[in-house]
Amino acid sequence: MTSIPRTLSWQGELPGRLRMIDQTKLPAEFLEIDCETVESVWEAIRSLRVRGAPAIGVAAGYGTIVGLQGGAYANRSAFDARLTDVTDYLATSRPTAVNLFWALDRLKHVAAAHPDLAPSAMLARLLDEARAIDAEDREMCAAMGRHGASLLPQAGGVLTHCNAGGLATAGDGTALSVIFAAVAAGHDLHVFADETRPLLQGARLTAWECRQRNIPVTVICDSMAALLMRDRKVQAVITGADRIAANGDAANKVGTYSVAMLAQAHGVPFYVAAPSSTFDLPLASGADIPIEERDATEITHGFGRQTVPDGVNVWNPAFDVTPAHLIKAIVTERGVISPVSTESVAAMLS
Ligand code: MRU
């Protein structure tokens, strides 16, 4: 296996910078960029240079450090005011992936727990916390792989939607970590990747990751999933999630809901893999999950070419919610939730 580059990493100590793979350039070009201002981190999240719920959380953690370092703080209250500004600002970058808010809240809680630390010591402590978020995410990816691998067939096809791999996390991914772990355990799997309109995370990123690992992969247009299932080419579907409500309803890349409905209609098990940082337990159901709506040009002028006539209405929600009853199991770093219900989610996560 080729060595897989880190999706994002902290470079240096303090001051340092956030390095990330610019995912908008893949697969044609492999480019790493360094973010040295909080504005550039915000832009990178907003424009999907870094994307995928856990990776957005890790980027927000390091992005907070980028936004705090270099300031001349007269005292802790000046530092805390800047922390509030930076975290409030980063929180506006994207609305759906709860990992973003989870990571920002985690840093704010650490600061609140250490009111006596001077600004420079507090900043160093926050960098430790951002690094812990990064390291824990890697561990959670590995644990999801261990817990979920046996759910996948010993041999056969597995369909996934969007990219829930190493590019979407600090580690090996969520859904793809399960696939990678199954392959490592000897399962003979063929990955089918929905291309994932409109931004093609499946075609560009999931296919790229599978190629890096020499795992056979076939890209299909999103509209081909029904035929794929009818022809029995896949024995399981597994995706990631951006936010999971207390009852197990799971928001993920738009189109996931359609795939889950198709899976039910064809008797194919539909699984979700997500770390505990993706659960939003105060939300009773998926109806309360905010769904990001993105610019119409992603549909009308995708990848440099106009494909919709001028003046036509366009609707571009980036996510949809798959109801819990369509999900056979949710793989977390703590274990597998199945059947999926408010009670079983609470039992695993409380
Ligand atoms: O808009 P994106 O590319 O950030 O959407 C990403 C997804 O929907 C992923 O499936 C999800 O974040 C899970 S990533 C492990």
Side-chain angles (χ1 to χ4, degrees), residues 39-63:
E39 290 79 12
S40 65
V41 177
W42 188 97
E43 191 279 336
I45 296 173
R46 179 73 200 155
S47 64
L48 275 59
R49 296 184 202 287
V50 60
R51 30 72 43 208
I56 292 171
V58 176
Y62 288 136

PDB file of all heavy atoms in Angstrom, residues 39-63:
ATOM      1  N   GLU A  39      -9.137  33.320   8.818  1.00  0.00           N
ATOM      2  CA  GLU A  39      -9.962  33.531   7.619  1.00  0.00           C
ATOM      3  C   GLU A  39      -9.686  32.449   6.576  1.00  0.00           C
ATOM      4  O   GLU A  39     -10.605  31.962   5.902  1.00  0.00           O
ATOM      5  CB  GLU A  39      -9.703  34.915   6.999  1.00  0.00           C
ATOM      6  CG  GLU A  39     -10.226  36.089   7.812  1.00  0.00           C
ATOM      7  CD  GLU A  39      -9.316  36.462   8.986  1.00  0.00           C
ATOM      8  OE1 GLU A  39      -8.168  35.966   9.055  1.00  0.00           O
ATOM      9  OE2 GLU A  39      -9.754  37.257   9.839  1.00  0.00           O
ATOM     10  N   SER A  40      -8.418  32.050   6.457  1.00  0.00           N
ATOM     11  CA  SER A  40      -8.107  31.017   5.462  1.00  0.00           C
ATOM     12  C   SER A  40      -8.634  29.656   5.916  1.00  0.00           C
ATOM     13  O   SER A  40      -9.027  28.829   5.083  1.00  0.00           O
ATOM     14  CB  SER A  40      -6.605  30.965   5.174  1.00  0.00           C
ATOM     15  OG  SER A  40      -5.897  30.557   6.333  1.00  0.00           O
ATOM     16  N   VAL A  41      -8.686  29.410   7.235  1.00  0.00           N
ATOM     17  CA  VAL A  41      -9.277  28.159   7.718  1.00  0.00           C
ATOM     18  C   VAL A  41     -10.781  28.166   7.444  1.00  0.00           C
ATOM     19  O   VAL A  41     -11.351  27.181   6.961  1.00  0.00           O
ATOM     20  CB  VAL A  41      -9.000  27.958   9.228  1.00  0.00           C
ATOM     21  CG1 VAL A  41      -9.688  26.696   9.732  1.00  0.00           C
ATOM     22  CG2 VAL A  41      -7.498  27.899   9.499  1.00  0.00           C
ATOM     23  N   TRP A  42     -11.426  29.289   7.730  1.00  0.00           N
ATOM     24  CA  TRP A  42     -12.873  29.418   7.464  1.00  0.00           C
ATOM     25  C   TRP A  42     -13.153  29.150   5.992  1.00  0.00           C
ATOM     26  O   TRP A  42     -14.052  28.384   5.642  1.00  0.00           O
ATOM     27  CB  TRP A  42     -13.330  30.842   7.840  1.00  0.00           C
ATOM     28  CG  TRP A  42     -14.809  31.071   7.799  1.00  0.00           C
ATOM     29  CD1 TRP A  42     -15.676  31.015   8.850  1.00  0.00           C
ATOM     30  CD2 TRP A  42     -15.608  31.410   6.646  1.00  0.00           C
ATOM     31  NE1 TRP A  42     -16.956  31.290   8.429  1.00  0.00           N
ATOM     32  CE2 TRP A  42     -16.940  31.531   7.079  1.00  0.00           C
ATOM     33  CE3 TRP A  42     -15.327  31.613   5.295  1.00  0.00           C
ATOM     34  CZ2 TRP A  42     -17.985  31.865   6.223  1.00  0.00           C
ATOM     35  CZ3 TRP A  42     -16.371  31.924   4.435  1.00  0.00           C
ATOM     36  CH2 TRP A  42     -17.680  32.050   4.893  1.00  0.00           C
ATOM     37  N   GLU A  43     -12.370  29.772   5.136  1.00  0.00           N
ATOM     38  CA  GLU A  43     -12.569  29.620   3.683  1.00  0.00           C
ATOM     39  C   GLU A  43     -12.332  28.172   3.261  1.00  0.00           C
ATOM     40  O   GLU A  43     -13.054  27.637   2.412  1.00  0.00           O
ATOM     41  CB  GLU A  43     -11.621  30.579   2.945  1.00  0.00           C
ATOM     42  CG  GLU A  43     -11.901  30.711   1.445  1.00  0.00           C
ATOM     43  CD  GLU A  43     -11.316  29.589   0.600  1.00  0.00           C
ATOM     44  OE1 GLU A  43     -10.332  28.947   1.026  1.00  0.00           O
ATOM     45  OE2 GLU A  43     -11.850  29.334  -0.490  1.00  0.00           O
ATOM     46  N   ALA A  44     -11.332  27.533   3.856  1.00  0.00           N
ATOM     47  CA  ALA A  44     -11.030  26.142   3.490  1.00  0.00           C
ATOM     48  C   ALA A  44     -12.182  25.216   3.864  1.00  0.00           C
ATOM     49  O   ALA A  44     -12.516  24.284   3.118  1.00  0.00           O
ATOM     50  CB  ALA A  44      -9.736  25.691   4.172  1.00  0.00           C
ATOM     51  N   ILE A  45     -12.793  25.476   5.020  1.00  0.00           N
ATOM     52  CA  ILE A  45     -13.947  24.658   5.420  1.00  0.00           C
ATOM     53  C   ILE A  45     -15.136  24.973   4.510  1.00  0.00           C
ATOM     54  O   ILE A  45     -15.792  24.081   3.974  1.00  0.00           O
ATOM     55  CB  ILE A  45     -14.305  24.902   6.906  1.00  0.00           C
ATOM     56  CG1 ILE A  45     -13.164  24.449   7.827  1.00  0.00           C
ATOM     57  CG2 ILE A  45     -15.599  24.183   7.270  1.00  0.00           C
ATOM     58  CD1 ILE A  45     -13.359  24.813   9.302  1.00  0.00           C
ATOM     59  N   ARG A  46     -15.386  26.246   4.320  1.00  0.00           N
ATOM     60  CA  ARG A  46     -16.555  26.683   3.540  1.00  0.00           C
ATOM     61  C   ARG A  46     -16.499  26.158   2.106  1.00  0.00           C
ATOM     62  O   ARG A  46     -17.498  25.744   1.534  1.00  0.00           O
ATOM     63  CB  ARG A  46     -16.612  28.222   3.549  1.00  0.00           C
ATOM     64  CG  ARG A  46     -17.734  28.822   2.781  1.00  0.00           C
ATOM     65  CD  ARG A  46     -19.054  28.619   3.497  1.00  0.00           C
ATOM     66  NE  ARG A  46     -20.159  28.763   2.590  1.00  0.00           N
ATOM     67  CZ  ARG A  46     -21.355  28.207   2.772  1.00  0.00           C
ATOM     68  NH1 ARG A  46     -21.596  27.473   3.843  1.00  0.00           N
ATOM     69  NH2 ARG A  46     -22.303  28.386   1.912  1.00  0.00           N
ATOM     70  N   SER A  47     -15.308  26.181   1.519  1.00  0.00           N
ATOM     71  CA  SER A  47     -15.209  25.798   0.104  1.00  0.00           C
ATOM     72  C   SER A  47     -14.833  24.329  -0.075  1.00  0.00           C
ATOM     73  O   SER A  47     -14.551  23.901  -1.194  1.00  0.00           O
ATOM     74  CB  SER A  47     -14.204  26.695  -0.615  1.00  0.00           C
ATOM     75  OG  SER A  47     -12.920  26.478  -0.053  1.00  0.00           O
ATOM     76  N   LEU A  48     -14.846  23.568   1.040  1.00  0.00           N
ATOM     77  CA  LEU A  48     -14.630  22.115   0.981  1.00  0.00           C
ATOM     78  C   LEU A  48     -13.205  21.711   0.582  1.00  0.00           C
ATOM     79  O   LEU A  48     -12.977  20.640   0.056  1.00  0.00           O
ATOM     80  CB  LEU A  48     -15.646  21.429   0.042  1.00  0.00           C
ATOM     81  CG  LEU A  48     -17.009  21.057   0.639  1.00  0.00           C
ATOM     82  CD1 LEU A  48     -17.757  22.264   1.198  1.00  0.00           C
ATOM     83  CD2 LEU A  48     -17.867  20.333  -0.351  1.00  0.00           C
ATOM     84  N   ARG A  49     -12.241  22.627   0.850  1.00  0.00           N
ATOM     85  CA  ARG A  49     -10.845  22.176   0.699  1.00  0.00           C
ATOM     86  C   ARG A  49     -10.604  21.100   1.751  1.00  0.00           C
ATOM     87  O   ARG A  49      -9.908  20.123   1.521  1.00  0.00           O
ATOM     88  CB  ARG A  49      -9.876  23.341   0.919  1.00  0.00           C
ATOM     89  CG  ARG A  49     -10.026  24.410  -0.116  1.00  0.00           C
ATOM     90  CD  ARG A  49      -8.995  25.524   0.055  1.00  0.00           C
ATOM     91  NE  ARG A  49      -9.490  26.713  -0.602  1.00  0.00           N
ATOM     92  CZ  ARG A  49      -9.549  26.870  -1.925  1.00  0.00           C
ATOM     93  NH1 ARG A  49      -9.083  25.928  -2.713  1.00  0.00           N
ATOM     94  NH2 ARG A  49     -10.054  27.955  -2.458  1.00  0.00           N
ATOM     95  N   VAL A  50     -11.154  21.321   2.945  1.00  0.00           N
ATOM     96  CA  VAL A  50     -11.226  20.260   3.952  1.00  0.00           C
ATOM     97  C   VAL A  50     -12.713  20.037   4.192  1.00  0.00           C
ATOM     98  O   VAL A  50     -13.470  20.998   4.326  1.00  0.00           O
ATOM     99  CB  VAL A  50     -10.467  20.638   5.242  1.00  0.00           C
ATOM    100  CG1 VAL A  50     -11.015  21.886   5.897  1.00  0.00           C
ATOM    101  CG2 VAL A  50     -10.453  19.477   6.229  1.00  0.00           C
ATOM    102  N   ARG A  51     -13.122  18.751   4.190  1.00  0.00           N
ATOM    103  CA  ARG A  51     -14.546  18.471   4.331  1.00  0.00           C
ATOM    104  C   ARG A  51     -14.701  17.081   4.940  1.00  0.00           C
ATOM    105  O   ARG A  51     -13.733  16.358   5.133  1.00  0.00           O
ATOM    106  CB  ARG A  51     -15.318  18.637   3.011  1.00  0.00           C
ATOM    107  CG  ARG A  51     -14.623  18.368   1.726  1.00  0.00           C
ATOM    108  CD  ARG A  51     -14.326  16.925   1.391  1.00  0.00           C
ATOM    109  NE  ARG A  51     -15.439  16.033   1.675  1.00  0.00           N
ATOM    110  CZ  ARG A  51     -15.321  14.774   1.988  1.00  0.00           C
ATOM    111  NH1 ARG A  51     -14.125  14.202   2.104  1.00  0.00           N
ATOM    112  NH2 ARG A  51     -16.356  14.019   2.229  1.00  0.00           N
ATOM    113  N   GLY A  52     -15.971  16.742   5.247  1.00  0.00           N
ATOM    114  CA  GLY A  52     -16.210  15.521   6.001  1.00  0.00           C
ATOM    115  C   GLY A  52     -16.285  15.901   7.471  1.00  0.00           C
ATOM    116  O   GLY A  52     -15.416  16.630   7.983  1.00  0.00           O
ATOM    117  N   ALA A  53     -17.328  15.424   8.144  1.00  0.00           N
ATOM    118  CA  ALA A  53     -17.631  15.924   9.485  1.00  0.00           C
ATOM    119  C   ALA A  53     -16.456  15.861  10.468  1.00  0.00           C
ATOM    120  O   ALA A  53     -16.095  16.879  11.083  1.00  0.00           O
ATOM    121  CB  ALA A  53     -18.860  15.197  10.028  1.00  0.00           C
ATOM    122  N   PRO A  54     -15.816  14.692  10.660  1.00  0.00           N
ATOM    123  CA  PRO A  54     -14.725  14.676  11.645  1.00  0.00           C
ATOM    124  C   PRO A  54     -13.556  15.573  11.256  1.00  0.00           C
ATOM    125  O   PRO A  54     -12.961  16.250  12.115  1.00  0.00           O
ATOM    126  CB  PRO A  54     -14.311  13.199  11.677  1.00  0.00           C
ATOM    127  CG  PRO A  54     -15.540  12.459  11.220  1.00  0.00           C
ATOM    128  CD  PRO A  54     -16.138  13.337  10.163  1.00  0.00           C
ATOM    129  N   ALA A  55     -13.219  15.627   9.961  1.00  0.00           N
ATOM    130  CA  ALA A  55     -12.095  16.476   9.533  1.00  0.00           C
ATOM    131  C   ALA A  55     -12.423  17.952   9.751  1.00  0.00           C
ATOM    132  O   ALA A  55     -11.540  18.751  10.109  1.00  0.00           O
ATOM    133  CB  ALA A  55     -11.764  16.213   8.060  1.00  0.00           C
ATOM    134  N   ILE A  56     -13.673  18.320   9.561  1.00  0.00           N
ATOM    135  CA  ILE A  56     -14.083  19.709   9.817  1.00  0.00           C
ATOM    136  C   ILE A  56     -13.888  20.033  11.301  1.00  0.00           C
ATOM    137  O   ILE A  56     -13.422  21.118  11.667  1.00  0.00           O
ATOM    138  CB  ILE A  56     -15.551  19.926   9.386  1.00  0.00           C
ATOM    139  CG1 ILE A  56     -15.682  19.844   7.856  1.00  0.00           C
ATOM    140  CG2 ILE A  56     -16.078  21.272   9.898  1.00  0.00           C
ATOM    141  CD1 ILE A  56     -17.127  19.839   7.356  1.00  0.00           C
ATOM    142  N   GLY A  57     -14.215  19.069  12.177  1.00  0.00           N
ATOM    143  CA  GLY A  57     -14.015  19.284  13.616  1.00  0.00           C
ATOM    144  C   GLY A  57     -12.544  19.476  13.955  1.00  0.00           C
ATOM    145  O   GLY A  57     -12.173  20.389  14.711  1.00  0.00           O
ATOM    146  N   VAL A  58     -11.691  18.641  13.384  1.00  0.00           N
ATOM    147  CA  VAL A  58     -10.249  18.760  13.657  1.00  0.00           C
ATOM    148  C   VAL A  58      -9.729  20.093  13.109  1.00  0.00           C
ATOM    149  O   VAL A  58      -8.952  20.799  13.771  1.00  0.00           O
ATOM    150  CB  VAL A  58      -9.475  17.561  13.045  1.00  0.00           C
ATOM    151  CG1 VAL A  58      -7.971  17.730  13.233  1.00  0.00           C
ATOM    152  CG2 VAL A  58      -9.947  16.247  13.681  1.00  0.00           C
ATOM    153  N   ALA A  59     -10.181  20.467  11.917  1.00  0.00           N
ATOM    154  CA  ALA A  59      -9.751  21.743  11.322  1.00  0.00           C
ATOM    155  C   ALA A  59     -10.209  22.922  12.183  1.00  0.00           C
ATOM    156  O   ALA A  59      -9.470  23.903  12.347  1.00  0.00           O
ATOM    157  CB  ALA A  59     -10.313  21.873   9.902  1.00  0.00           C
ATOM    158  N   ALA A  60     -11.394  22.814  12.749  1.00  0.00           N
ATOM    159  CA  ALA A  60     -11.890  23.904  13.602  1.00  0.00           C
ATOM    160  C   ALA A  60     -11.049  24.028  14.866  1.00  0.00           C
ATOM    161  O   ALA A  60     -10.788  25.146  15.342  1.00  0.00           O
ATOM    162  CB  ALA A  60     -13.357  23.655  13.962  1.00  0.00           C
ATOM    163  N   GLY A  61     -10.614  22.881  15.399  1.00  0.00           N
ATOM    164  CA  GLY A  61      -9.761  22.923  16.587  1.00  0.00           C
ATOM    165  C   GLY A  61      -8.461  23.652  16.297  1.00  0.00           C
ATOM    166  O   GLY A  61      -8.081  24.608  16.989  1.00  0.00           O
ATOM    167  N   TYR A  62      -7.766  23.239  15.240  1.00  0.00           N
ATOM    168  CA  TYR A  62      -6.506  23.897  14.882  1.00  0.00           C
ATOM    169  C   TYR A  62      -6.762  25.325  14.390  1.00  0.00           C
ATOM    170  O   TYR A  62      -5.937  26.221  14.615  1.00  0.00           O
ATOM    171  CB  TYR A  62      -5.771  23.092  13.812  1.00  0.00           C
ATOM    172  CG  TYR A  62      -5.161  21.801  14.322  1.00  0.00           C
ATOM    173  CD1 TYR A  62      -5.278  20.615  13.600  1.00  0.00           C
ATOM    174  CD2 TYR A  62      -4.440  21.774  15.512  1.00  0.00           C
ATOM    175  CE1 TYR A  62      -4.704  19.435  14.050  1.00  0.00           C
ATOM    176  CE2 TYR A  62      -3.856  20.593  15.971  1.00  0.00           C
ATOM    177  CZ  TYR A  62      -3.993  19.427  15.237  1.00  0.00           C
ATOM    178  OH  TYR A  62      -3.415  18.263  15.692  1.00  0.00           O
ATOM    179  N   GLY A  63      -7.901  25.516  13.719  1.00  0.00           N
ATOM    180  CA  GLY A  63      -8.230  26.861  13.220  1.00  0.00           C
ATOM    181  C   GLY A  63      -8.370  27.861  14.355  1.00  0.00           C
ATOM    182  O   GLY A  63      -8.015  29.045  14.217  1.00  0.00           O
TER     183      GLY A  63
END
